[in-house]
Amino acid sequence: LQTSVVRFKGPAAQKTFLVAHGGEASTSGNTDTWAGFEMSRSIFALTNQSTAPPITVDTEVIWLLNRAEVVDENPVVIEGKLRLVDYLNAQSDVLYFEAKNRAVSISDYVLEFRKI
């Protein structure tokens, strides 16, 4: 289980666990495509004597990348989409059951990578 810990200035820390990941390549059509995902759980807590419960967040990151421009069989431009999806967690949010395990926040981004 891949884990990272961040200690903030002041009495706070965040621990993130990678709970699932995967990817798949496709070469159908004129472009090469790769799609992948990563799911993580983050726990943010105070590190002092506070009795406040930790905040738990579940996040899914989804990528779709395409080789958009190829010169001499080398990719020069890669275009893609990035989606960030956040879910409530039963341990930290009373609205979890009302959300019925559906995403409560979805953010979409368009990516373009160019070789310089």
Side-chain angles (χ1 to χ4, degrees):
L1 190 64
Q2 185 177 358
T3 306
S4 65
V5 177
V6 177
R7 297 192 185 278
F8 298 96
K9 284 187 176 181
Q14 179 175 330
K15 194 171 202 177
T16 302
F17 304 92
L18 178 63
V19 294
H21 63 90
E24 186 173 316
S26 171
T27 57
S28 63
N30 293 336
T31 61
D32 291 334
T33 301
W34 180 84
F37 75 95
E38 180 177 281
M39 297 183 74
S40 63
R41 173 165 285 176
S42 297
I43 302 170
F44 180 83
L46 296 173
T47 57
N48 59 10
Q49 301 300 319
S50 174
T51 59
I55 297 170
T56 304
V57 177
D58 293 330
T59 302
E60 184 174 11
V61 181
I62 305 164
W63 300 274
L64 178 63
L65 302 174
N66 299 303
R67 290 185 198 182
E69 186 178 326
V70 178
V71 175
D72 296 328
E73 298 185 20
N74 294 313
V76 177
V77 177
I78 296 177
E79 296 175 338
K81 295 180 181 181
L82 172 67
R83 175 169 277 185
L84 305 177
V85 184
D86 292 312
Y87 299 90
L88 297 179
N89 188 283
Q91 287 86 18
S92 65
D93 202 310
V94 294
L95 297 175
Y96 170 78
F97 295 103
E98 190 175 323
K100 298 180 182 172
N101 204 31
R102 292 177 296 196
V104 295
S105 173
I106 299 174
S107 303
D108 288 323
Y109 300 91
V110 176
L111 309 172
E112 183 177 278
F113 303 98
R114 292 187 170 274
K115 186 175 182 177
I116 43 177

